[in-house]
Amino acid sequence: MEPADLTKSTGAGELLQHAAKLTLRLHYRNLVNRSRLKKKCPGSPGEELRDCIEATLSDWFSKPRPPTEHYPETVDFFIDEATDAITPEEREELKVSVKLFLCESSQSSIRDAVQLACHTLAVSQLDSVIIAPPGPQEGESQTLANLQPFWEQLESLVRNQQIAAIGTSDLDKDLLEQLYNWAQVKPSSNQVNLASCCVMPPDLTAFAKEFDIQLLTHNDPKELMSAATFQEVLQEGVQDPNIGDWRLDWVLRYSVIVESRGIIKSKGYLVSAGKASP
């Protein structure tokens, strides 16, 4: 699935009024290269995402767009000259690491996100994908039953060789053990948010060591960007308050790492949103 090319499109506000979905391909270096942000570093992952959206929409609007008679179902915002595509010659020395934040409960979002990431980076396989599924309802806790449909989609992509390794985020020892015992493709990693846990829990550490699961740390909030914030950023960037009500489906953050040197070659976000039903 490739989004519609907007090089033959008109204003974004008019496009979004007729579209059902939108995607944003956000290259981090496009953010840091902008002079207005050179003296300002984003303070959190949510702020970084917002700044990337603002930078991409601003650059998109700076390019002339001829009118069109046909409105695409999916509007794709990206910077023509910006690319993090990986050449075949450099693929062996690079690792593509992804974290997928699911905002809706559609399992098909996982397949769509992985396909767009592979297309954007010009690779056939992602080396690792960590999934952050939608949070449970208020007052409830995450359960294996909540995780299973998402994990089955990841397992299918592993069998199809589109993902090499899959991991989880913010599972305690009991839930990680349940997932491990049930899953056909075992989790290779589990992220732990040290904002709520200053030291790795001993029982989690012991279980991970026994079953060769890598424990990683992160500082991502439970909600990377609220629906209200996304709508606000989109309206400001498109410069049209009448674009309709849009909600995030998923946000994918990728990092391309030079394995031999342990440095990040490039990073960015892919965002998918759908128009809320009237």
Side-chain angles (χ1 to χ4, degrees):
M1 179 194 71
E2 294 184 15
D5 183 358
L6 290 192
T7 57
K8 298 181 180 179
S9 297
T10 185
E14 187 177 355
L15 286 165
L16 290 181
Q17 290 173 24
H18 293 84
K21 293 185 69 68
L22 72 84
T23 59
L24 290 146
R25 289 185 269 173
L26 315 171
H27 303 276
Y28 187 74
R29 68 167 173 264
N30 185 52
L31 169 66
V32 298
N33 287 340
R34 289 174 60 83
S35 59
R36 71 180 181 84
L37 294 172
K38 282 184 177 177
K39 296 181 180 179
K40 173 195 166 204
C41 294
S44 69
E47 290 177 1
E48 179 179 274
L49 176 59
R50 177 170 186 150
D51 286 344
C52 282
I53 294 174
E54 290 176 348
T56 297
L57 291 176
S58 176
D59 282 0
W60 191 88
F61 271 105
S62 70
K63 307 294 191 302
R65 306 284 169 178
T68 181
E69 296 179 359
H70 305 287
Y71 295 104
E73 181 180 355
T74 299
V75 178
D76 185 25
F77 292 105
F78 64 98
I79 306 306
D80 298 331
E81 65 275 12
T83 177
D84 289 330
I86 297 169
T87 65
E89 294 74 22
E90 62 185 355
R91 181 64 181 99
E92 283 191 9
E93 65 179 25
L94 299 178
K95 178 180 179 180
V96 181
S97 179
V98 159
K99 184 170 183 179
L100 177 58
F101 303 84
L102 294 175
C103 309
E104 299 288 330
S105 296
S106 170
Q107 288 87 52
S108 64
S109 295
I110 298 174
R111 181 187 65 251
D112 293 343
V114 169
Q115 288 179 348
L116 184 58
C118 288
H119 172 71
T120 300
L121 299 173
V123 298
S124 60
Q125 184 184 65
L126 306 178
D127 294 291
S128 68
V129 174
I130 290 174
I131 190 169
Q137 297 294 323
E138 188 174 351
E140 299 179 2
S141 57
Q142 191 71 271
T143 66
L144 178 61
N146 299 142
L147 293 173
Q148 285 172 330
F150 303 107
W151 199 258
E152 287 173 338
Q153 288 295 313
L154 289 173
E155 290 180 326
S156 175
L157 292 167
V158 171
R159 286 191 288 269
N160 291 338
Q161 299 185 330
Q162 289 180 276
I163 305 175
I166 49 181
T168 58
S169 180
D170 299 316
L171 300 193
D172 60 19
K173 182 264 180 184
D174 290 340
L175 188 50
L176 182 60
E177 183 176 11
Q178 291 175 39
L179 177 64
Y180 186 91
N181 291 335
W182 167 81
Q184 294 183 22
V185 179
K186 307 300 183 183
S188 63
S189 61
N190 179 48
Q191 281 192 334
V192 178
N193 192 331
L194 291 187
S196 58
C197 172
C198 296
V199 179
M200 290 285 186
D203 60 344
L204 178 62
T205 302
F207 179 80
K209 182 177 181 180
E210 180 180 358
F211 293 97
D212 196 26
I213 299 173
Q214 187 178 16
L215 293 181
L216 308 169
T217 61
H218 75 94
N219 66 337
D220 298 314
K222 289 184 178 180
E223 186 176 51
L224 193 59
M225 177 173 284
S226 70
T229 298
F230 178 70
Q231 182 73 13
E232 175 189 333
V233 175
L234 194 61
Q235 286 177 329
E236 291 177 354
V238 175
Q239 303 168 16
D240 187 344
N242 301 312
I243 58 172
D245 184 17
W246 290 85
R247 46 152 176 65
L248 282 171
D249 291 330
W250 50 263
V251 177
L252 180 149
R253 183 177 64 215
Y254 63 83
S255 298
V256 179
I257 302 164
V258 182
E259 285 198 275
S260 61
R261 300 168 61 189
I263 62 173
I264 296 178
K265 178 179 183 288
S266 62
K267 62 182 288 190
Y269 291 90
L270 304 175
V271 177
S272 176
K275 187 172 287 183
S277 302

